[in-house]
Short mmCIF file of all heavy atoms in Angstrom, two decimals:
data_model
loop_
_atom_site.label_atom_id
_atom_site.label_comp_id
_atom_site.label_asym_id
_atom_site.label_seq_id
_atom_site.Cartn_x
_atom_site.Cartn_y
_atom_site.Cartn_z
N GLU A 78 16.63 -10.55 18.59
CA GLU A 78 15.63 -9.67 19.18
C GLU A 78 15.43 -8.45 18.32
O GLU A 78 16.39 -7.87 17.76
CB GLU A 78 16.07 -9.26 20.59
CG GLU A 78 16.04 -10.38 21.61
CD GLU A 78 16.44 -9.91 22.99
OE1 GLU A 78 17.26 -8.99 23.08
OE2 GLU A 78 15.92 -10.48 23.97
N THR A 79 14.18 -8.01 18.25
CA THR A 79 13.87 -6.74 17.59
C THR A 79 14.22 -5.61 18.50
O THR A 79 14.52 -5.80 19.69
CB THR A 79 12.37 -6.68 17.22
OG1 THR A 79 11.61 -6.68 18.44
CG2 THR A 79 11.97 -7.86 16.36
N GLU A 80 14.15 -4.40 17.99
CA GLU A 80 14.43 -3.20 18.83
C GLU A 80 13.45 -3.15 19.98
O GLU A 80 13.83 -2.82 21.11
CB GLU A 80 14.35 -1.93 17.99
CG GLU A 80 14.69 -0.67 18.74
CD GLU A 80 14.63 0.59 17.88
OE1 GLU A 80 14.45 0.44 16.65
OE2 GLU A 80 14.73 1.68 18.43
N GLU A 81 12.17 -3.46 19.73
CA GLU A 81 11.16 -3.44 20.79
C GLU A 81 11.50 -4.49 21.84
O GLU A 81 11.37 -4.21 23.05
CB GLU A 81 9.79 -3.73 20.17
CG GLU A 81 8.67 -3.73 21.22
CD GLU A 81 7.32 -4.14 20.64
OE1 GLU A 81 7.31 -4.87 19.63
OE2 GLU A 81 6.29 -3.74 21.20
N GLU A 82 11.95 -5.67 21.44
CA GLU A 82 12.24 -6.73 22.38
C GLU A 82 13.52 -6.46 23.18
O GLU A 82 13.59 -6.77 24.38
CB GLU A 82 12.36 -8.06 21.63
CG GLU A 82 11.03 -8.53 21.07
CD GLU A 82 11.18 -9.64 20.03
OE1 GLU A 82 12.32 -9.88 19.54
OE2 GLU A 82 10.18 -10.28 19.68
N ARG A 83 14.52 -5.85 22.53
CA ARG A 83 15.77 -5.53 23.22
C ARG A 83 15.55 -4.54 24.36
O ARG A 83 16.34 -4.50 25.31
CB ARG A 83 16.79 -5.00 22.24
CG ARG A 83 17.48 -6.07 21.39
CD ARG A 83 18.71 -5.49 20.70
NE ARG A 83 18.37 -4.43 19.78
CZ ARG A 83 18.05 -4.62 18.49
NH1 ARG A 83 18.01 -5.86 18.00
NH2 ARG A 83 17.77 -3.58 17.71
N GLY A 84 14.52 -3.73 24.27
CA GLY A 84 14.26 -2.74 25.29
C GLY A 84 13.53 -3.25 26.50
O GLY A 84 13.19 -2.47 27.41
N ARG A 85 13.28 -4.58 26.54
CA ARG A 85 12.52 -5.15 27.64
C ARG A 85 13.24 -6.39 28.19
O ARG A 85 14.18 -6.88 27.55
CB ARG A 85 11.11 -5.50 27.18
CG ARG A 85 10.24 -4.25 26.92
CD ARG A 85 8.86 -4.66 26.48
NE ARG A 85 7.95 -3.52 26.45
CZ ARG A 85 7.81 -2.65 25.45
NH1 ARG A 85 8.55 -2.81 24.35
NH2 ARG A 85 6.96 -1.67 25.51
N PRO A 86 12.79 -6.94 29.34
CA PRO A 86 13.44 -8.14 29.87
C PRO A 86 13.46 -9.30 28.87
O PRO A 86 12.59 -9.39 28.01
CB PRO A 86 12.59 -8.47 31.10
CG PRO A 86 12.00 -7.17 31.51
CD PRO A 86 11.75 -6.41 30.23
N ASP A 87 14.43 -10.20 29.01
CA ASP A 87 14.63 -11.27 28.07
C ASP A 87 13.39 -12.12 27.84
O ASP A 87 13.11 -12.58 26.70
CB ASP A 87 15.80 -12.16 28.51
CG ASP A 87 17.12 -11.45 28.48
OD1 ASP A 87 17.23 -10.41 27.77
OD2 ASP A 87 18.06 -11.89 29.15
N LEU A 88 12.66 -12.40 28.91
CA LEU A 88 11.51 -13.31 28.79
C LEU A 88 10.27 -12.61 28.28
O LEU A 88 9.24 -13.27 28.06
CB LEU A 88 11.22 -13.96 30.16
CG LEU A 88 12.25 -14.97 30.66
CD1 LEU A 88 11.91 -15.41 32.06
CD2 LEU A 88 12.34 -16.18 29.72
N TRP A 89 10.32 -11.28 28.07
CA TRP A 89 9.14 -10.55 27.70
C TRP A 89 8.47 -11.10 26.45
O TRP A 89 7.26 -11.27 26.39
CB TRP A 89 9.49 -9.07 27.49
CG TRP A 89 8.34 -8.23 27.07
CD1 TRP A 89 7.35 -7.71 27.86
CD2 TRP A 89 8.05 -7.76 25.72
NE1 TRP A 89 6.46 -6.97 27.12
CE2 TRP A 89 6.87 -6.98 25.78
CE3 TRP A 89 8.68 -7.91 24.50
CZ2 TRP A 89 6.31 -6.37 24.66
CZ3 TRP A 89 8.13 -7.33 23.37
CH2 TRP A 89 6.96 -6.55 23.47
N ARG A 90 9.25 -11.38 25.40
CA ARG A 90 8.64 -11.81 24.15
C ARG A 90 7.99 -13.19 24.27
O ARG A 90 7.04 -13.50 23.54
CB ARG A 90 9.66 -11.80 23.00
CG ARG A 90 10.93 -12.65 23.19
CD ARG A 90 11.77 -12.55 21.93
NE ARG A 90 13.03 -13.26 22.02
CZ ARG A 90 13.84 -13.44 20.97
NH1 ARG A 90 13.52 -12.98 19.79
NH2 ARG A 90 14.99 -14.10 21.12
N TYR A 91 8.50 -14.03 25.17
CA TYR A 91 7.89 -15.34 25.37
C TYR A 91 6.57 -15.22 26.17
O TYR A 91 5.60 -15.92 25.87
CB TYR A 91 8.86 -16.28 26.07
CG TYR A 91 10.18 -16.36 25.34
CD1 TYR A 91 11.37 -15.98 25.95
CD2 TYR A 91 10.28 -16.81 24.03
CE1 TYR A 91 12.60 -16.05 25.29
CE2 TYR A 91 11.50 -16.87 23.36
CZ TYR A 91 12.65 -16.48 24.01
OH TYR A 91 13.84 -16.53 23.35
N TRP A 92 6.57 -14.35 27.16
CA TRP A 92 5.34 -14.07 27.90
C TRP A 92 4.28 -13.50 26.98
O TRP A 92 3.09 -13.89 27.02
CB TRP A 92 5.61 -13.11 29.05
CG TRP A 92 6.06 -13.75 30.30
CD1 TRP A 92 7.33 -13.93 30.76
CD2 TRP A 92 5.21 -14.31 31.33
NE1 TRP A 92 7.33 -14.57 31.95
CE2 TRP A 92 6.05 -14.81 32.34
CE3 TRP A 92 3.84 -14.44 31.49
CZ2 TRP A 92 5.57 -15.41 33.49
CZ3 TRP A 92 3.32 -15.04 32.62
CH2 TRP A 92 4.19 -15.52 33.61
N ARG A 93 4.68 -12.58 26.11
CA ARG A 93 3.74 -11.91 25.20
C ARG A 93 2.99 -12.94 24.35
O ARG A 93 1.79 -12.78 24.06
CB ARG A 93 4.53 -10.94 24.33
CG ARG A 93 3.73 -10.26 23.23
CD ARG A 93 4.70 -9.63 22.23
NE ARG A 93 5.58 -10.61 21.62
CZ ARG A 93 6.65 -10.30 20.88
NH1 ARG A 93 6.96 -9.03 20.69
NH2 ARG A 93 7.40 -11.24 20.35
N ASP A 94 3.67 -14.01 23.95
CA ASP A 94 3.10 -14.95 22.96
C ASP A 94 2.49 -16.20 23.60
O ASP A 94 2.18 -17.17 22.90
CB ASP A 94 4.18 -15.38 21.98
CG ASP A 94 4.63 -14.23 21.12
OD1 ASP A 94 3.90 -13.25 20.96
OD2 ASP A 94 5.80 -14.30 20.59
N LEU A 95 2.32 -16.21 24.94
CA LEU A 95 1.77 -17.41 25.57
C LEU A 95 0.35 -17.70 25.10
O LEU A 95 -0.45 -16.79 24.86
CB LEU A 95 1.73 -17.25 27.10
CG LEU A 95 3.05 -17.29 27.82
CD1 LEU A 95 2.86 -17.04 29.30
CD2 LEU A 95 3.78 -18.62 27.61
N PRO A 96 0.00 -18.99 24.87
CA PRO A 96 -1.32 -19.32 24.39
C PRO A 96 -2.39 -19.14 25.49
O PRO A 96 -2.09 -19.31 26.68
CB PRO A 96 -1.19 -20.79 24.00
CG PRO A 96 -0.13 -21.31 24.91
CD PRO A 96 0.84 -20.18 25.09
N ALA A 97 -3.61 -18.84 25.08
CA ALA A 97 -4.72 -18.74 26.02
C ALA A 97 -5.23 -20.15 26.32
O ALA A 97 -4.90 -21.14 25.64
CB ALA A 97 -5.85 -17.90 25.42
N LEU A 98 -6.05 -20.27 27.37
CA LEU A 98 -6.64 -21.55 27.72
C LEU A 98 -7.36 -22.15 26.50
O LEU A 98 -8.09 -21.47 25.81
CB LEU A 98 -7.63 -21.38 28.87
CG LEU A 98 -7.04 -20.97 30.22
CD1 LEU A 98 -8.15 -20.74 31.25
CD2 LEU A 98 -6.06 -22.04 30.74
N GLY A 99 -7.14 -23.43 26.28
CA GLY A 99 -7.76 -24.13 25.16
C GLY A 99 -6.95 -24.08 23.88
O GLY A 99 -7.28 -24.79 22.92
N GLU A 100 -5.90 -23.29 23.84
CA GLU A 100 -5.10 -23.13 22.63
C GLU A 100 -3.73 -23.82 22.77
O GLU A 100 -3.29 -24.14 23.85
CB GLU A 100 -4.91 -21.65 22.30
CG GLU A 100 -6.24 -20.94 22.01
CD GLU A 100 -6.07 -19.47 21.67
OE1 GLU A 100 -4.90 -19.00 21.71
OE2 GLU A 100 -7.06 -18.80 21.37
N THR A 101 -3.09 -24.02 21.60
CA THR A 101 -1.79 -24.66 21.55
C THR A 101 -0.78 -23.74 20.86
O THR A 101 -1.11 -23.12 19.84
CB THR A 101 -1.86 -25.99 20.77
OG1 THR A 101 -2.76 -26.87 21.46
CG2 THR A 101 -0.48 -26.64 20.64
N SER A 102 0.40 -23.65 21.43
CA SER A 102 1.49 -22.86 20.82
C SER A 102 2.68 -23.77 20.62
O SER A 102 3.10 -24.48 21.53
CB SER A 102 1.84 -21.68 21.69
OG SER A 102 2.97 -20.97 21.16
N ILE A 103 3.26 -23.73 19.39
CA ILE A 103 4.46 -24.47 19.08
C ILE A 103 5.61 -23.46 19.03
O ILE A 103 5.52 -22.46 18.31
CB ILE A 103 4.34 -25.22 17.75
CG1 ILE A 103 3.15 -26.21 17.82
CG2 ILE A 103 5.63 -25.96 17.43
CD1 ILE A 103 2.80 -26.85 16.50
N VAL A 104 6.65 -23.69 19.80
CA VAL A 104 7.72 -22.68 19.92
C VAL A 104 9.03 -23.27 19.37
O VAL A 104 9.46 -24.35 19.77
CB VAL A 104 7.93 -22.29 21.41
CG1 VAL A 104 9.05 -21.28 21.52
CG2 VAL A 104 6.63 -21.73 21.97
N VAL A 105 9.63 -22.54 18.45
CA VAL A 105 10.93 -22.92 17.89
C VAL A 105 11.93 -21.81 18.27
O VAL A 105 11.57 -20.64 18.33
CB VAL A 105 10.86 -23.06 16.37
CG1 VAL A 105 12.17 -23.64 15.82
CG2 VAL A 105 9.70 -23.93 15.95
N SER A 106 13.20 -22.23 18.50
CA SER A 106 14.20 -21.25 18.98
C SER A 106 13.69 -20.56 20.23
O SER A 106 13.52 -19.36 20.28
CB SER A 106 14.52 -20.23 17.89
OG SER A 106 15.05 -20.85 16.75
N SER A 107 13.45 -21.36 21.24
CA SER A 107 12.79 -20.89 22.48
C SER A 107 13.81 -20.24 23.43
O SER A 107 14.91 -19.87 23.04
CB SER A 107 12.14 -22.08 23.17
OG SER A 107 13.16 -22.95 23.66
N TRP A 108 13.38 -20.11 24.69
CA TRP A 108 14.22 -19.54 25.73
C TRP A 108 15.47 -20.38 26.01
O TRP A 108 16.38 -19.94 26.70
CB TRP A 108 13.40 -19.38 27.01
CG TRP A 108 12.49 -20.53 27.29
CD1 TRP A 108 12.72 -21.62 28.07
CD2 TRP A 108 11.17 -20.68 26.81
NE1 TRP A 108 11.68 -22.46 28.10
CE2 TRP A 108 10.67 -21.94 27.32
CE3 TRP A 108 10.33 -19.93 25.98
CZ2 TRP A 108 9.40 -22.42 27.06
CZ3 TRP A 108 9.05 -20.42 25.73
CH2 TRP A 108 8.60 -21.64 26.26
N TYR A 109 15.56 -21.58 25.44
CA TYR A 109 16.74 -22.43 25.56
C TYR A 109 17.82 -22.04 24.52
O TYR A 109 19.01 -22.34 24.70
CB TYR A 109 16.42 -23.90 25.37
CG TYR A 109 15.73 -24.50 26.57
CD1 TYR A 109 14.36 -24.55 26.65
CD2 TYR A 109 16.48 -25.01 27.63
CE1 TYR A 109 13.72 -25.09 27.76
CE2 TYR A 109 15.87 -25.56 28.75
CZ TYR A 109 14.48 -25.61 28.82
OH TYR A 109 13.88 -26.13 29.92
N ASN A 110 17.40 -21.41 23.46
CA ASN A 110 18.31 -21.20 22.34
C ASN A 110 19.54 -20.36 22.72
O ASN A 110 20.68 -20.75 22.42
CB ASN A 110 17.54 -20.53 21.18
CG ASN A 110 18.27 -20.67 19.86
OD1 ASN A 110 18.48 -21.76 19.39
ND2 ASN A 110 18.66 -19.53 19.28
N GLU A 111 19.31 -19.24 23.35
CA GLU A 111 20.42 -18.32 23.64
C GLU A 111 21.38 -18.92 24.67
O GLU A 111 22.61 -18.87 24.48
CB GLU A 111 19.88 -16.96 24.09
CG GLU A 111 20.92 -15.87 24.18
CD GLU A 111 21.55 -15.52 22.84
OE1 GLU A 111 21.08 -16.00 21.78
OE2 GLU A 111 22.54 -14.76 22.83
N PRO A 112 20.89 -19.50 25.81
CA PRO A 112 21.84 -20.10 26.76
C PRO A 112 22.65 -21.24 26.12
O PRO A 112 23.87 -21.34 26.35
CB PRO A 112 20.94 -20.65 27.87
CG PRO A 112 19.73 -19.79 27.81
CD PRO A 112 19.52 -19.47 26.37
N LEU A 113 22.01 -22.10 25.32
CA LEU A 113 22.72 -23.17 24.67
C LEU A 113 23.76 -22.64 23.66
O LEU A 113 24.90 -23.08 23.62
CB LEU A 113 21.74 -24.10 23.94
CG LEU A 113 20.95 -25.06 24.84
CD1 LEU A 113 19.83 -25.73 24.06
CD2 LEU A 113 21.85 -26.09 25.50
N ARG A 114 23.35 -21.67 22.85
CA ARG A 114 24.27 -21.09 21.87
C ARG A 114 25.49 -20.50 22.56
O ARG A 114 26.65 -20.74 22.18
CB ARG A 114 23.57 -20.01 21.05
CG ARG A 114 24.46 -19.42 19.97
CD ARG A 114 23.84 -18.12 19.39
NE ARG A 114 23.83 -17.06 20.36
CZ ARG A 114 24.89 -16.33 20.71
NH1 ARG A 114 26.07 -16.57 20.16
NH2 ARG A 114 24.77 -15.35 21.60
N CYS A 115 25.24 -19.67 23.61
CA CYS A 115 26.35 -19.01 24.29
C CYS A 115 27.29 -20.01 24.93
O CYS A 115 28.51 -19.84 24.92
CB CYS A 115 25.79 -18.05 25.35
SG CYS A 115 24.94 -16.61 24.69
N PHE A 116 26.73 -21.09 25.48
CA PHE A 116 27.56 -22.10 26.15
C PHE A 116 28.37 -22.89 25.11
O PHE A 116 29.57 -23.12 25.29
CB PHE A 116 26.71 -23.04 26.99
CG PHE A 116 27.48 -23.98 27.83
CD1 PHE A 116 28.34 -23.52 28.81
CD2 PHE A 116 27.36 -25.33 27.66
CE1 PHE A 116 29.07 -24.41 29.58
CE2 PHE A 116 28.08 -26.25 28.42
CZ PHE A 116 28.95 -25.78 29.38
N VAL A 117 27.74 -23.30 24.03
CA VAL A 117 28.43 -24.06 23.00
C VAL A 117 29.54 -23.27 22.38
O VAL A 117 30.63 -23.78 22.08
CB VAL A 117 27.41 -24.54 21.90
CG1 VAL A 117 28.15 -25.14 20.71
CG2 VAL A 117 26.46 -25.58 22.49
N GLN A 118 29.32 -21.97 22.16
CA GLN A 118 30.33 -21.13 21.52
C GLN A 118 31.29 -20.50 22.51
O GLN A 118 32.13 -19.69 22.13
CB GLN A 118 29.62 -20.02 20.70
CG GLN A 118 28.82 -20.60 19.54
CD GLN A 118 28.23 -19.53 18.66
OE1 GLN A 118 28.07 -18.36 19.04
NE2 GLN A 118 27.89 -19.91 17.43
N GLY A 119 31.19 -20.87 23.78
CA GLY A 119 32.18 -20.42 24.75
C GLY A 119 32.00 -18.98 25.25
O GLY A 119 32.92 -18.43 25.85
N GLU A 120 30.81 -18.40 25.02
CA GLU A 120 30.60 -17.01 25.45
C GLU A 120 30.27 -16.91 26.93
O GLU A 120 30.41 -15.84 27.52
CB GLU A 120 29.48 -16.38 24.62
CG GLU A 120 29.83 -16.25 23.14
CD GLU A 120 28.67 -15.69 22.32
OE1 GLU A 120 27.74 -15.13 22.94
OE2 GLU A 120 28.71 -15.79 21.09
N ILE A 121 29.77 -18.00 27.53
CA ILE A 121 29.51 -18.01 28.97
C ILE A 121 30.10 -19.30 29.55
O ILE A 121 30.28 -20.30 28.86
CB ILE A 121 27.99 -17.98 29.27
CG1 ILE A 121 27.24 -19.19 28.65
CG2 ILE A 121 27.38 -16.65 28.79
CD1 ILE A 121 25.78 -19.25 29.05
N GLY A 122 30.39 -19.23 30.83
CA GLY A 122 30.97 -20.39 31.51
C GLY A 122 29.91 -21.26 32.16
O GLY A 122 28.72 -21.00 32.04
N GLU A 123 30.37 -22.27 32.88
CA GLU A 123 29.44 -23.21 33.49
C GLU A 123 28.55 -22.57 34.53
O GLU A 123 27.36 -22.89 34.60
CB GLU A 123 30.24 -24.38 34.11
CG GLU A 123 30.96 -25.24 33.09
CD GLU A 123 31.52 -26.50 33.70
OE1 GLU A 123 31.27 -26.74 34.90
OE2 GLU A 123 32.25 -27.23 33.00
N ALA A 124 29.09 -21.68 35.35
CA ALA A 124 28.29 -21.05 36.40
C ALA A 124 27.15 -20.24 35.81
O ALA A 124 26.01 -20.34 36.29
CB ALA A 124 29.18 -20.19 37.28
N GLU A 125 27.44 -19.45 34.78
CA GLU A 125 26.39 -18.64 34.16
C GLU A 125 25.38 -19.53 33.45
O GLU A 125 24.18 -19.25 33.45
CB GLU A 125 27.01 -17.64 33.21
CG GLU A 125 26.02 -16.78 32.40
CD GLU A 125 25.18 -15.89 33.28
OE1 GLU A 125 25.52 -15.67 34.45
OE2 GLU A 125 24.13 -15.39 32.75
N PHE A 126 25.86 -20.60 32.82
CA PHE A 126 24.95 -21.55 32.17
C PHE A 126 23.97 -22.14 33.16
O PHE A 126 22.76 -22.19 32.93
CB PHE A 126 25.79 -22.64 31.49
CG PHE A 126 24.98 -23.58 30.61
CD1 PHE A 126 24.09 -23.11 29.67
CD2 PHE A 126 25.15 -24.97 30.74
CE1 PHE A 126 23.37 -23.98 28.87
CE2 PHE A 126 24.44 -25.84 29.96
CZ PHE A 126 23.53 -25.35 29.00
N GLU A 127 24.49 -22.57 34.32
CA GLU A 127 23.63 -23.15 35.34
C GLU A 127 22.65 -22.09 35.87
O GLU A 127 21.49 -22.40 36.16
CB GLU A 127 24.48 -23.68 36.50
CG GLU A 127 25.37 -24.88 36.14
CD GLU A 127 24.54 -26.11 35.79
OE1 GLU A 127 23.41 -26.21 36.24
OE2 GLU A 127 25.06 -26.96 35.01
N ARG A 128 23.09 -20.85 36.00
CA ARG A 128 22.19 -19.79 36.49
C ARG A 128 21.03 -19.57 35.52
O ARG A 128 19.90 -19.42 35.94
CB ARG A 128 22.97 -18.48 36.68
CG ARG A 128 22.21 -17.39 37.38
CD ARG A 128 22.92 -16.05 37.35
NE ARG A 128 22.89 -15.46 36.01
CZ ARG A 128 21.86 -14.77 35.54
NH1 ARG A 128 20.78 -14.59 36.26
NH2 ARG A 128 21.89 -14.24 34.33
N ARG A 129 21.36 -19.56 34.24
CA ARG A 129 20.30 -19.35 33.24
C ARG A 129 19.33 -20.53 33.21
O ARG A 129 18.12 -20.36 32.98
CB ARG A 129 20.92 -19.12 31.86
CG ARG A 129 21.73 -17.84 31.78
CD ARG A 129 22.05 -17.51 30.32
NE ARG A 129 22.99 -16.37 30.24
CZ ARG A 129 23.31 -15.78 29.11
NH1 ARG A 129 22.79 -16.18 27.95
NH2 ARG A 129 24.19 -14.77 29.09
N LEU A 130 19.85 -21.76 33.41
CA LEU A 130 18.95 -22.91 33.43
C LEU A 130 18.03 -22.88 34.66
O LEU A 130 16.84 -23.26 34.57
CB LEU A 130 19.80 -24.20 33.42
CG LEU A 130 20.63 -24.45 32.16
CD1 LEU A 130 21.40 -25.75 32.29
CD2 LEU A 130 19.74 -24.49 30.92
N ALA A 131 18.55 -22.43 35.79
CA ALA A 131 17.73 -22.30 36.99
C ALA A 131 16.61 -21.29 36.78
O ALA A 131 15.48 -21.46 37.21
CB ALA A 131 18.61 -21.91 38.19
N ARG A 132 16.96 -20.21 36.07
CA ARG A 132 15.94 -19.20 35.74
C ARG A 132 14.87 -19.77 34.84
O ARG A 132 13.69 -19.51 35.02
CB ARG A 132 16.68 -18.05 35.05
CG ARG A 132 15.83 -16.91 34.55
CD ARG A 132 16.75 -16.04 33.72
NE ARG A 132 16.07 -14.89 33.17
CZ ARG A 132 16.52 -14.21 32.14
NH1 ARG A 132 17.66 -14.58 31.58
NH2 ARG A 132 15.89 -13.16 31.68
N ILE A 133 15.26 -20.62 33.89
CA ILE A 133 14.29 -21.28 33.01
C ILE A 133 13.38 -22.20 33.83
O ILE A 133 12.18 -22.25 33.58
CB ILE A 133 15.03 -22.08 31.89
CG1 ILE A 133 15.59 -21.08 30.86
CG2 ILE A 133 14.08 -23.06 31.22
CD1 ILE A 133 16.51 -21.73 29.83
#
Side-chain angles (χ1 to χ4, degrees):
E78 291 182 329
T79 64
E80 183 179 352
E81 180 185 27
E82 292 166 346
R83 282 194 297 272
R85 290 180 169 86
D87 293 341
L88 291 175
W89 178 79
R90 58 177 177 172
Y91 306 119
W92 273 96
R93 175 194 60 192
D94 295 337
L95 288 178
L98 293 176
E100 297 181 357
T101 298
S102 175
I103 301 170
V104 180
V105 188
S106 298
S107 69
W108 41 93
Y109 284 93
N110 198 61
E111 191 64 9
L113 285 169
R114 183 194 67 78
C115 291
F116 187 62
V117 170
Q118 295 186 339
E120 295 177 16
I121 60 174
E123 293 189 6
E125 177 63 16
F126 187 49
E127 294 294 335
R128 189 189 72 82
R129 295 193 188 188
L130 295 179
R132 177 188 180 201
I133 287 173

